[in-house]
Amino acid sequence: MVTVPPVLSHIETSEEYLNEIGKIISIESQHEKAGEMIGAIDGYSFKYQGLSFEIYKYEPGSRELIEGSSGTVTLNMGSFGDLTSDSVVNGEFLMIFDEANDEAINAFKNVNT
């Protein structure tokens, strides 16, 4: 008998990505964000251990993903100006935060996109 490995589904949205993170760490709360305001396809924020994190999906090869992979990204907030934040990238997803938390960062990095 031949064993067929499970098919990995592709994560399409920030909400799906956040659901995967929630399988790794206990998320306290989550809210949809207006990702299109910063050039993203979509976005979600969440709290973990009292700290805030935001996840955004971008088009592959976007400036935000390239810049964000350096550990810091500047996002244009339109009339609100620019926001510079610490960041982590995994595939088409960018996570920004003000205060790092190794558990949240590792959970983000370990989601298979």
Side-chain angles (χ1 to χ4, degrees):
M1 181 169 154
V2 176
T3 303
V4 178
V7 176
L8 296 177
S9 61
H10 182 72
I11 295 173
E12 296 292 330
T13 67
S14 296
E15 182 179 23
E16 290 173 4
Y17 198 105
L18 185 55
N19 289 337
E20 291 299 310
I21 290 175
K23 294 176 183 177
I24 302 170
I25 60 174
S26 297
I27 293 171
E28 296 162 12
S29 64
Q30 65 185 54
H31 302 282
E32 188 171 9
K33 302 292 281 186
E36 57 280 350
M37 284 185 58
I38 57 171
I41 295 169
D42 63 21
Y44 261 81
S45 66
F46 70 96
K47 285 196 179 265
Y48 176 70
Q49 295 186 346
L51 301 174
S52 297
F53 300 86
E54 296 179 17
I55 298 172
Y56 295 97
K57 181 177 182 181
Y58 283 93
E59 291 292 336
S62 69
R63 179 198 62 80
E64 293 85 357
L65 292 177
I66 294 168
E67 184 181 330
S69 65
S70 72
T72 305
V73 65
T74 300
L75 302 173
N76 183 303
M77 307 284 289
S79 61
F80 297 106
D82 290 342
L83 168 71
T84 300
S85 184
D86 292 334
S87 59
V88 181
V89 171
N90 185 6
E92 300 169 358
F93 296 89
L94 169 76
M95 183 169 79
I96 62 172
F97 47 91
D98 292 326
E99 189 174 335
N101 175 289
D102 289 341
E103 291 175 351
I105 291 169
N106 289 334
F108 176 83
K109 288 179 177 179
N110 287 317
V111 171
N112 292 320
T113 60

